[in-house]
Amino acid sequence: KAPTIDGVTPFVGSTTVTLACETTGATLYYTIDGKEPTAESTPYTGPFTLTESATVKAVAILNGEASTVATKEFLALTSYSDLASVCALADATKFHFTGNVVVVACPTNYYCYIKDNTGHSLIYGSGESFEVGKTIAPNWSGKINIHNNLVEIKPTSTLSVLSADAETITYPEATVADVTAANMNKVVILKGVTYTAPEGQNFTITQGEVSVAGYNQFGITIDAPVDGKTYDIVGAISVYKENVQFQPISITEAVAA
């Protein structure tokens, strides 16, 4: 009967690998480089430690008869401490994060916008609604997901926040011209703009001669605009395929100076 291979994967730092077999009297042999194990391979004498990614293969041999080969992939996660490095990773890359990030906005349980002193990002799909201004505790794992050109971080371990009081979040003022792919996942405020009545989730935001597509991703209530009035819109800069969008979190009437 084929051996079993046990050990944590993905792992950070190191993981211990244990082999076992139900066949009494069989000797286990294994490799960690992906090659097929034989009686000439390393004999298993007890749990061993991996510190790098490896493909472990094991076979049980009794009286010259070999079992089916068991295989298990072990992935060593690279640790990063800043968002800029994480957001530069390729699609589907798994990682471990050791830095502190602050929650900038959490309009739904699936969209959590974060920042540190190197950049901004979006945690997607955590299912948690975090308080704005709270710091997410370090030492969690995730995976990069590039969905229609939008860079998302999908957590693969539980997220929690530090007990310290939430800091006050002030959204930087931006212009409609700043709503570009280079500022993806940044939450800003557009001041003194006009917008069109939504058609479904779509509308247009205009500032002077410059316009950008608005998209009601978070399902907020968008009242029909009033002629002659301008508005301040807090929202997230996003992309969908080749298009840049501004996704509103709140819309308020601009106060005259």
Side-chain angles (χ1 to χ4, degrees):
K1 190 171 183 179
T4 58
I5 304 173
D6 290 315
V8 174
T9 186
F11 65 90
V12 178
S14 65
T15 188
T16 298
V17 180
T18 302
L19 307 182
C21 181
E22 295 180 2
T23 304
T24 302
T27 300
L28 301 180
Y29 298 89
Y30 70 94
T31 60
I32 61 173
D33 57 4
K35 294 181 180 179
E36 293 299 298
T38 68
E40 302 301 317
S41 302
T42 304
Y44 178 72
T45 58
F48 57 93
T49 300
L50 295 176
T51 58
E52 298 180 351
S53 296
T55 299
V56 176
K57 292 190 173 186
V59 67
I61 298 178
L62 178 63
N63 298 325
E65 295 292 328
S67 70
T68 302
V69 173
T71 303
K72 187 168 184 175
E73 301 280 348
F74 288 88
L75 175 65
L77 295 179
T78 300
S79 293
Y80 299 92
S81 61
D82 65 280
L83 283 180
S85 295
V86 168
C87 292
L89 297 174
D91 186 32
T93 302
K94 295 179 179 179
F95 63 89
H96 183 69
F97 193 76
T98 60
N100 289 333
V101 293
V102 176
V103 177
V104 175
C106 206
T108 76
N109 287 359
Y110 282 86
Y111 289 82
C112 181
Y113 292 91
I114 56 176
K115 71 173 183 178
D116 67 4
N117 59 6
T118 70
H120 301 77
S121 194
L122 165 64
I123 293 176
Y124 178 79
S126 74
E128 299 284 344
S129 182
F130 296 109
E131 180 182 349
V132 171
K134 280 285 194 177
T135 297
I136 293 178
N139 295 313
W140 50 274
S141 299
K143 179 177 74 172
I144 292 295
N145 182 59
I146 301 179
H147 179 68
N148 291 318
N149 290 334
L150 179 67
V151 178
E152 303 171 341
I153 292 175
K154 288 194 171 184
T156 56
S157 64
T158 302
L159 301 179
S160 61
V161 295
L162 298 179
S163 59
D165 292 341
E167 66 177 74
T168 300
I169 298 298
T170 301
Y171 299 112
E173 184 175 349
T175 67
V176 169
D178 296 321
V179 182
T180 64
N183 290 320
M184 181 191 311
N185 293 326
K186 188 173 183 179
V187 179
V188 300
I189 182 169
L190 304 178
K191 290 189 173 183
V193 300
T194 59
Y195 67 92
T196 59
E199 296 182 4
Q201 291 177 283
N202 297 290
F203 63 106
T204 300
I205 302 169
T206 300
Q207 188 175 48
E209 301 298 318
V210 184
S211 296
V212 69
Y215 188 78
N216 191 11
Q217 178 67 55
F218 312 122
I220 70 169
T221 299
I222 301 180
D223 296 326
V226 177
D227 288 343
K229 293 187 179 295
T230 60
Y231 298 86
D232 297 339
I233 306 179
V234 173
I237 299 172
S238 188
V239 298
Y240 177 73
K241 296 182 179 179
E242 303 305 319
N243 303 311
V244 180
Q245 303 173 335
F246 195 74
Q247 300 176 349
I249 295 172
S250 68
I251 300 177
T252 55
E253 185 178 326
V255 177

